[in-house]
């Protein structure tokens, strides 16, 4: 059931059930992070392998539980960017069950910037474990309807907070003796991060990186084969245009192409990020045999968009 009333969401979460929650990045599939059995259902609903750890979502009410595990560098990031699209990896407190972190000694913590979810978190006294609310490896949901389409029968309630305003998942950071590292590019741009931490390093996850086991090479993937290109006009030549979808920013005319999805007509990369996942879902439809995606410029959220498109194109 979809609704924008938080009281059923509170009741279902207290009962150990799954509730989809809106955030500024993408919708999450939430359960009580302190309840093993509830968290287990998340993995089952998503068909997610147990080696892929979950992010723990908190509001001001849950923050004190974690205080003693937050060191100075992490605190600076949190003070600057929370609530917002940033997940910070900290040492795992013992009260967080191992299943949440796939047995790692760390946990990813995030305070989402969405009024409904903040209100929800103020009503409960436990944190919420939540991955993106999509089947494993598929495109993340940016509307309540996206969740309903794929996981509607597996959740007790979908809290509808409107379309996600950022549209791609949070940036994940970790700091240790080796410095401050970005493990996943996301909704908080590198430009913004560098204003506060000029010396961040990229340690972008792949299958080969044991530190972030969930960042598979193939991810955010459509069923329909997807091609990532620099020049869409060149790429559509030789394609069956009736069965081709093209996604990009400031797209040229492209006569004959069946489905043309312009993520931002005036070339605004943040607007493109907001529209990206809905466009991928739309393009991944009957009758389309090839999705051609234009690379985003490498500014603002562009690198995060391209990271997702590269994984979506990976076969
Ligand atoms: O914006 C987001 O982050 C969304 C919303 C719902 O908050 N959540 C999200 O969760 O994208 P998910 O599960 O789809 O992606 C979480 C990523 C995975 O790649 C996982 O491997 C990584 O975070 N991760 C979680 N805990 C980790 C840890 N302790 N160390 C390293 N990576 C971790
Ligand atoms: Mg995900």
């Amino acid at each position: 059931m979809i609704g924008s009333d938080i009281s059923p969401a509170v009741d279902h979460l207290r009962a150990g059930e799954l509730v989809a929650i809106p955030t500024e990045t993408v919708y999450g599939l939430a359960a009580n992070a302190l309840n093993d059995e509830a968290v287990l259902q998340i993995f089952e609903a998503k068909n997610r392998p147990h080696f892929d750890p979950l992010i723990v979502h908190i509001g001001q009410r849950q923050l004190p539980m974690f205080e003693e595990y937050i060191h100075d560098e992490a605190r600076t990031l949190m003070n600057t960017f929370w609530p917002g699209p940033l997940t910070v990896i900290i040492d795992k407190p013992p009260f967080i069950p191992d299943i949440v972190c796939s047995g790692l000694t760390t946990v990813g913590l995030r305070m989402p910037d969405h009024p409904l979810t903040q209100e929800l978190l103020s009503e409960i006294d436990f944190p919420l474990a939540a991955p993106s609310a999509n089947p494993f490896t598929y495109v993340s949901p940016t509307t309540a309807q996206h969740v309903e389409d794929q996981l509607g029968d597996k959740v007790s309630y979908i809290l509808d907070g409107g379309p996600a305003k950022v549209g791609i998942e949070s940036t994940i950071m970790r700091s240790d003796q080796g410095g401050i590292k970005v493990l996943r590019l996301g909704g908080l741009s590198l430009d913004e991060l560098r204003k506060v931490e000029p010396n961040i390093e990229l340690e972008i996850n792949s299958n080969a990186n044991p530190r972030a086991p969930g960042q598979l090479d193939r991810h955010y993937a459509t069923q329909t084969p997807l091609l990532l290109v620099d020049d869409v006009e060149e790429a559509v030549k030789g394609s069956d245009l009736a069965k081709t979808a093209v996604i990009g920013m400031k797209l040229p005319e492209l006569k004959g192409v069946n489905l043309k999805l312009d993520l931002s007509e005036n070339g605004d990369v943040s607007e493109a990020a907001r529209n990206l996942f809905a466009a991928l879902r739309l393009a991944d439809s009957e009758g389309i045999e090839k999705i051609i995606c234009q690379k985003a410029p490498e500014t603002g959220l562009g690198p995060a968009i391209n990271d997702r498109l590269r994984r979506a194109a990976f076969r």
Side-chain angles (χ1 to χ4, degrees):
M1 198 195 130
I2 301 186
S4 52
D5 183 3
I6 65 160
S7 65
V10 169
D11 294 344
H12 287 299
L13 289 167
R14 284 193 184 134
E17 295 166 19
L18 301 183
V19 171
I21 55 166
T23 84
E24 77 282 30
T25 59
V26 300
Y27 275 70
L29 182 63
N32 177 351
L34 307 182
N35 178 337
D36 287 73
E37 305 253 308
V39 173
L40 181 62
Q41 291 177 54
I42 296 178
F43 286 91
E44 284 171 358
K46 277 190 63 118
N47 208 3
R48 179 174 174 122
H50 287 267
F51 61 73
D52 192 359
L54 306 178
I55 292 174
V56 172
H57 296 68
I58 60 169
Q60 287 299 341
R61 181 165 173 186
Q62 291 80 13
L63 185 57
M65 299 171 71
F66 295 89
E67 286 293 354
E68 64 178 291
Y69 303 93
I70 300 173
H71 51 76
D72 291 348
E73 290 87 355
R75 192 176 306 274
T76 306
L77 290 167
M78 292 169 180
N79 288 343
T80 314
F81 297 111
W82 277 6
L86 173 70
T87 295
V88 183
I89 306 288
I90 62 166
D91 289 340
K92 184 181 97 61
F95 57 81
I96 295 290
D98 286 334
I99 184 173
V100 172
C101 308
S102 306
L104 298 178
T105 57
T106 55
V107 61
L109 209 58
R110 170 162 128 73
M111 189 181 281
D113 183 16
H114 192 289
L116 270 188
T117 293
Q118 293 232 358
E119 201 183 325
L120 172 65
L121 283 162
S122 75
E123 294 283 319
I124 53 181
D125 58 6
F126 48 85
L128 294 174
S132 52
N134 51 278
F136 184 59
T137 74
Y138 197 69
V139 180
S140 297
T142 52
T143 66
Q145 190 60 47
H146 291 164
V147 183
E148 171 69 20
D149 291 346
Q150 291 189 303
L151 299 176
D153 56 342
K154 306 217 166 100
V155 293
S156 295
Y157 189 67
I158 300 171
L159 183 59
D160 188 351
K165 69 179 185 193
V166 174
I168 53 176
E169 301 81 356
S170 61
T171 301
I172 302 181
M173 301 207 54
R174 173 193 171 103
S175 69
D176 54 26
Q177 294 88 333
I180 300 190
K181 300 200 166 93
V182 175
L183 304 185
R184 176 175 75 180
L185 297 170
L188 182 65
S189 73
L190 292 175
D191 310 339
E192 288 297 310
L193 275 168
R194 286 199 174 107
K195 283 184 198 159
V196 177
E197 298 286 355
N199 296 322
I200 50 176
E201 287 168 49
L202 299 190
E203 192 176 278
I204 303 308
N205 319 324
S206 76
N207 283 356
N209 179 0
R211 273 206 175 160
Q215 281 284 90
L216 304 178
D217 290 339
R218 178 170 165 75
H219 208 147
Y220 315 104
T222 49
Q223 305 282 328
T224 314
L226 182 148
L227 215 64
L228 181 60
V229 303
D230 288 303
D231 181 348
V232 284
E233 268 169 314
E234 202 48 46
V236 297
K237 286 180 192 160
S239 301
D240 181 347
L241 299 184
K243 296 178 180 165
T244 301
V246 177
I247 298 177
M249 301 167 53
K250 275 183 153 175
L251 287 174
E253 198 188 337
L254 303 171
K255 267 212 183 79
V257 168
N258 181 327
L259 188 57
K260 199 178 118 177
L261 297 164
D262 204 325
L263 301 176
S264 172
E265 283 175 9
N266 52 22
D268 175 342
V269 193
S270 296
E271 184 185 21
R274 195 151 57 234
N275 292 327
L276 177 68
F277 287 152
L280 287 174
R281 280 172 186 261
L282 208 58
D284 198 11
S285 59
E286 221 150 298
I288 299 294
E289 290 181 357
K290 193 200 289 183
I291 304 171
I292 296 177
C293 279
Q294 179 192 53
K295 272 187 204 143
E298 287 287 317
T299 56
L301 296 184
I305 293 176
N306 290 335
D307 171 82
R308 279 150 187 76
L309 291 176
R310 266 192 288 278
R311 291 178 205 270
F314 191 87
R315 296 275 142 179

